[in-house]
Amino acid sequence: MSENRETSTMLGHQPGHLPHSGHAVYAISVAAELSGVGVQTLRLYEQHGLVSPVRSAGGTRRYSGDDLARLARVIALTAQGVNLAGIARILELEDANAALRETNNALIAERDRDPNQH
């Protein structure tokens, strides 16, 4: 078994599969290429709090699949003519909505597990 396959197996990855969506592995140049925007645009989006890539110990930005999905949402909103402040507010509301939905689903699941709660 090659070293890359051994490492991949140890990390729980199957050969030929992408990293987990929350795993930050993409450098800024790769994220820019995958998202179709420039590196400076990614830095601008980060300055406005629209995306928050993790930083390596050396300070290098690392983007995850989740970051790339968020970038796609930002790009779609800019294409619709929404300014960066508006995008920040929309993303904030979408994040809050998703958190509320998760909480609601957890409460429903808890209620359904305990029939005496009805």
Side-chain angles (χ1 to χ4, degrees):
M1 183 182 281
S2 73
E3 185 175 330
N4 286 343
R5 288 182 64 188
E6 287 174 355
T7 303
S8 182
T9 301
M10 286 188 297
L11 295 174
H13 299 294
Q14 296 296 323
H17 289 255
L18 294 174
H20 182 271
S21 65
H23 191 75
V25 295
Y26 304 106
I28 192 168
S29 59
V30 175
E33 184 176 339
L34 291 172
S35 63
V37 298
V39 169
Q40 290 301 325
T41 302
L42 292 182
R43 290 185 179 122
L44 178 68
Y45 291 167
E46 183 179 2
Q47 287 174 352
H48 283 270
L50 304 179
V51 66
S52 300
V54 298
R55 299 282 184 139
S56 69
T60 304
R61 291 171 179 87
R62 292 290 177 199
Y63 292 82
S64 67
D66 291 340
D67 292 327
L68 294 177
R70 190 170 182 92
L71 282 171
R73 181 71 178 128
V74 170
I75 293 164
L77 290 167
T78 58
Q80 294 174 10
V82 181
N83 66 27
L84 296 183
I87 292 171
R89 184 65 177 136
I90 289 168
L91 294 176
E92 180 184 317
L93 291 169
E94 288 177 348
D95 290 345
N97 190 26
L100 288 170
R101 188 174 291 118
E102 284 181 31
T103 300
N104 190 42
N105 288 340
L107 289 170
I108 290 170
E110 183 180 327
R111 180 197 67 197
D112 291 346
R113 277 193 302 269
D114 187 2
N116 295 327
Q117 293 289 331
H118 292 281

